Amino acid sequence: MAFTATLSTAALAGPIYTFNTSTGKQPSDAGVITLTQNGANAVDVKVDLTNPTYGFLNTGGPHTPFAFNLAGSGALSIDFTAPVNGSYSWGSFSLNTAGGDNTPFGTFGIALDDSADNGSSRAFYGDLVFTLSRVGGLSTDDFIANTNGYYFSADLTNHETTGAQAWAIRETILQNIPTRDVPEPLTLTLFGAGLAGIGAMRRRKKVAAV
C-alpha cells in the first residue's frame, strides 16, 4: 500500500521597508515612504506626506519633484494611483530614467518629472502613490542609497518654504521569511493512518514468514 502526503512549497514573504525620517527644508517628519513588494516584477511606492499643506513641485537648484536609485537593469514602467494617471490640475508626472539632481543631496538615477511650471502655486498637494515595474524582476531591495547616503529625495513646499528633502534611514517592517503552510488536521490524520497501515502490513509479513 502506498501513501503520499503533499505539502505546499515554501513561500517567500517580500520585505516591506519604510523611511520615516527626512532632512531638508521641511521638518524631519515631512513624510513617510513605504515600499511594498507587488509580485516578482513590481514594487508599490507610497509617499505619505504628514501635512496637507505639503506638496511636490519644481524649483530651481536643480531640484527634482521626486527621485531615487535602483540597482540592476531592465526596462522600467510606472502606473500612478495618486494623482490618477499621474495628472493633476497644473501638470502631470512622468518617469525619467535619466535621473535627476536634488541639491544638496546629490544625484539620483531615476526621477519623476513634473510638467507643471515652477512654484508653489503649481505644486501637487497630496500623497504620491505609484507602482514601479521592471522587466526581469524588481525587488524592494533594489532601492539603494546614492553616493551621499540618501535613498529618496523630493522637492517640497509648504506654501511658504520650498526646497529639497531627503530620506536616508531605512526601517524594516517585514524581512524575507520563508513560510510553509501548516497541514490541515484531516491531512495529518490521513498521514497517520497511512503509516499505521504500513506498520500493520510489515507485522503480517513477519508473522507469515515464521
Side-chain angles (χ1 to χ4, degrees):
M1 181 174 108
F3 179 83
T4 303
T6 302
L7 300 180
S8 64
T9 57
L12 197 61
I16 298 175
Y17 292 125
T18 61
F19 303 78
N20 300 287
T21 305
S22 62
T23 185
K25 290 293 185 179
Q26 310 303 336
S28 60
D29 60 348
V32 177
I33 299 174
T34 304
L35 302 179
T36 307
Q37 193 71 40
N38 183 353
N41 299 322
V43 171
D44 295 330
V45 181
K46 181 177 182 180
V47 189
D48 184 8
L49 298 181
T50 56
N51 192 313
T53 65
Y54 291 166
F56 300 88
L57 79 162
N58 289 321
T59 63
H63 290 163
T64 303
F66 193 68
F68 50 93
N69 271 347
L70 285 179
S73 60
L76 288 172
S77 61
I78 193 167
D79 182 20
F80 287 96
T81 301
V84 177
N85 297 323
S87 298
Y88 65 107
S89 300
W90 303 108
S92 60
F93 291 99
S94 60
L95 182 66
N96 182 356
T97 56
D101 297 324
N102 254 342
T103 306
F105 302 113
T107 300
F108 296 82
I110 308 294
L112 298 188
D113 291 338
D114 188 354
S115 64
D117 294 333
N118 291 352
S120 297
S121 63
R122 297 295 187 267
F124 169 65
Y125 292 94
D127 297 337
L128 187 60
V129 184
F130 59 91
T131 298
L132 192 69
S133 303
R134 183 167 69 185
V135 174
L138 181 67
S139 166
T140 53
D141 286 318
D142 291 329
F143 290 76
I144 59 175
N146 69 358
T147 55
N148 290 21
Y150 297 101
Y151 287 86
F152 298 93
S153 69
D155 196 3
L156 298 180
T157 179
N158 63 357
H159 285 290
E160 296 178 356
T161 302
T162 65
Q165 197 81 4
W167 288 257
I169 301 174
R170 185 177 73 174
E171 299 178 20
T172 305
I173 293 180
L174 179 63
Q175 191 54 272
N176 284 326
I177 302 173
T179 60
R180 289 187 181 274
D181 294 336
V182 178
E184 296 180 359
L186 178 59
T187 302
L188 292 175
T189 301
L190 292 174
F191 184 69
L195 292 178
I198 293 171
M201 288 181 63
R202 288 179 177 175
R203 284 194 298 272
R204 284 196 295 270
K205 288 180 179 179
K206 287 183 179 179
V207 171
V210 174

